[in-house]
Amino acid sequence: MSAHNIQLGEDDFRFVEEKAKGEGISVSQEIERLIAFLRRVEERPIHPDVLALMGILRGIDPNEAKSAYLSAKHL
């Protein structure tokens, strides 16, 4: 396996470093786990129920809808 350098912001690096320490592995191993997870997520198809809901709220402002709901419920 060839090695490559990546740049991470200080906060991101600390986050990964602390997570790796908690797991008892190196930062490189933690990043490899993250990449493996992302690959699995990308390969997993979207559930048909979720696909059926996509776009159902198109044209609706969720903040406005929430405000209207709470007003009707509590006023």
Side-chain angles (χ1 to χ4, degrees), residues 8-19:
L8 291 175
E10 191 64 33
D11 289 341
D12 290 338
F13 181 79
R14 281 192 203 125
F15 173 78
V16 173
E17 186 177 43
E18 288 299 316
K19 191 158 173 33

Side-chain angles (χ1 to χ4, degrees), residues 25-72:
I25 59 176
S26 70
V27 170
S28 293
Q29 289 170 314
E30 186 63 39
I31 292 172
E32 288 170 357
R33 282 184 175 186
L34 174 60
I35 291 168
F37 170 77
L38 291 173
R39 283 189 173 143
R40 286 192 307 274
V41 168
E42 287 290 321
E43 293 169 358
R44 189 177 315 144
I46 298 174
H47 192 278
D49 291 343
V50 174
L51 285 174
L53 293 172
M54 291 177 76
I56 201 166
L57 295 178
R58 189 172 292 133
I60 295 174
D61 179 2
N63 291 324
E64 193 174 297
K66 180 180 178 182
S67 177
Y69 166 77
L70 291 174
S71 292

